[in-house]
Amino acid sequence: MAVDPLIELRDVNKYFGELHVLQDINLTVGRGEVVVVIGPSGSGKSTLCRAINRLETVESGSIVIDGRPLPAEGKGLAQLRAEVGMVFQSFNLFAHKTVLDNVSLAQVKVRKRKKGAADRRSRELLERVGLAAHADKFPAQLSGGQQQRVAIARALAMDPKALLFDEPTSALDPEMINEVLEVMRQLARDGMTMIVVTHEMGFARSAANRVVFMADGCVVEDRVPEDFFTSPSSDRAKDFLSKILKH
Ligand SMILES: Nc1ncnc2c1ncn2[C@@H]1O[C@H](COP(=O)(O)OP(=O)(O)OP(=O)(O)O)[C@@H](O)[C@H]1O
Ligand SMILES: [Mg+2]
């Protein structure tokens, strides 16, 4: 497969004390690709995302974003964080700021946009996630699904090259999950490069180019969704799928 790699991990290892949480991880995500990461609790999915966004350091190996190795620290790191957006399970919005200000804040602070230009961009993005009418509300006045869509708009406001999602719908009531997944599907259709940790197998089947299955800090399978779901090759994946597809 000819890919134009945007995110490349080579032989990445990470320890928490004695615990080897990422073991020789090799992963390439092409520009415009959507990779869904699944696996049992504690397998290292969140640590993988955090390492790519440099919220965690790694002990060995290389992580390259758009041809540039991750800088260790300093200004380059802030720039890189802005290039790879992250959306978490908890929305982490500023409670005392309006929806509009939540989306504009980092544009002004990190991207050095003027407040007026930032607000215009924020309104476009709020429109895109279906929340144009809620710009002047505070987060507590929105549902969980709406708050998560604000968090997505906020991530998009940095004009990231890629977005990482770590269980973006896990804290949501079931009726709100779809509105968030629909926004993510639209981003995928628009060509956004995304790594998505999720338990939503419907999303994995319909929106992912590849499914990466992790267990005990290793990438055990890296396949197109159809192959993964119909004929997982490892016992770990078979076992995992039989558990989650039962309910
Ligand atoms: N800051 C930390 N310090 C020590 N150990 C950690 C830390 N963060 C994670 N771990 C451990 O690293 C392993 C991988 O954790 P991680 O959060 O990446 O797993 P996960 O696949 O995201 O799990 P889950 O599905 O429960 O979110 C786990 O054993 C976890 O307890
Ligand atoms: Mg996790």
Side-chain angles (χ1 to χ4, degrees):
M1 186 177 57
V3 291
D4 171 14
L6 183 65
I7 300 173
E8 285 181 281
L9 285 80
R10 288 289 161 261
D11 302 320
V12 168
N13 285 281
K14 160 93 191 157
Y15 293 82
F16 284 120
E18 299 277 281
L19 188 67
H20 197 175
V21 278
L22 296 179
Q23 306 189 17
D24 290 319
I25 301 288
N26 284 285
L27 181 68
T28 302
V29 181
R31 211 177 296 272
E33 232 186 345
V34 177
V35 172
V36 162
V37 180
I38 64 174
S41 181
S43 56
K45 306 179 299 294
S46 294
T47 306
L48 178 75
C49 289
R50 294 172 61 81
I52 292 170
N53 208 27
R54 239 337 226 95
L55 295 167
E56 299 281 0
T57 55
V58 298
E59 271 71 46
S60 67
S62 68
I63 302 176
V64 175
I65 311 284
D66 205 9
R68 287 190 305 163
L70 286 198
E73 53 194 276
K75 253 199 145 75
L77 184 55
Q79 189 63 29
L80 176 116
R81 286 231 178 90
E83 286 181 0
V84 181
M86 188 141 170
V87 175
F88 301 90
Q89 179 174 336
S90 53
F91 328 120
N92 301 321
L93 300 175
F94 291 109
H96 58 288
K97 292 197 183 294
T98 63
V99 163
L100 185 71
D101 285 345
N102 266 282
V103 180
S104 290
L105 194 67
Q107 294 182 64
V108 174
K109 291 220 159 151
V110 180
R111 288 292 192 222
K112 309 292 178 205
R113 283 183 194 143
K114 295 248 164 35
K115 178 83 168 96
D119 283 350
R120 274 194 299 282
R121 176 81 175 125
S122 298
R123 287 186 192 280
E124 282 169 22
L125 291 167
L126 288 169
E127 174 88 49
R128 191 161 160 196
V129 300
L131 293 173
H134 301 273
D136 300 320
K137 292 186 178 169
F138 288 90
Q141 294 172 285
L142 303 184
S143 72
Q146 290 171 329
Q147 289 185 54
Q148 190 60 301
R149 286 185 282 146
V150 174
I152 294 172
R154 178 182 56 180
L156 289 171
M158 296 289 93
D159 301 323
K161 290 178 176 166
L163 281 181
L164 312 176
F165 294 84
D166 191 1
E167 302 203 23
T169 60
S170 295
L172 300 177
D173 292 335
E175 72 270 22
M176 292 167 194
I177 290 175
N178 254 321
E179 66 191 46
V180 172
L181 293 179
E182 196 39 56
V183 165
M184 292 166 62
R185 282 198 187 91
Q186 188 57 52
L187 289 175
R189 285 193 288 267
D190 293 344
M192 178 60 74
T193 306
M194 315 201 305
I195 296 180
V196 183
V197 179
T198 185
H199 299 296
E200 295 296 327
M201 294 302 121
F203 178 83
R205 276 174 181 275
S206 63
N209 298 102
R210 279 155 52 210
V211 172
V212 166
F213 175 75
M214 288 185 73
D216 297 331
C218 299
V219 170
V220 178
E221 301 205 27
D222 182 348
R223 323 259 305 272
V224 298
E226 179 66 17
D227 292 354
F228 178 75
F229 288 110
T230 54
S231 55
S233 56
S234 62
D235 288 341
R236 293 297 303 260
K238 281 178 199 159
D239 184 50
F240 179 78
L241 284 174
S242 73
K243 281 181 186 138
I244 56 162
L245 296 178
K246 246 176 234 160
H247 44 223

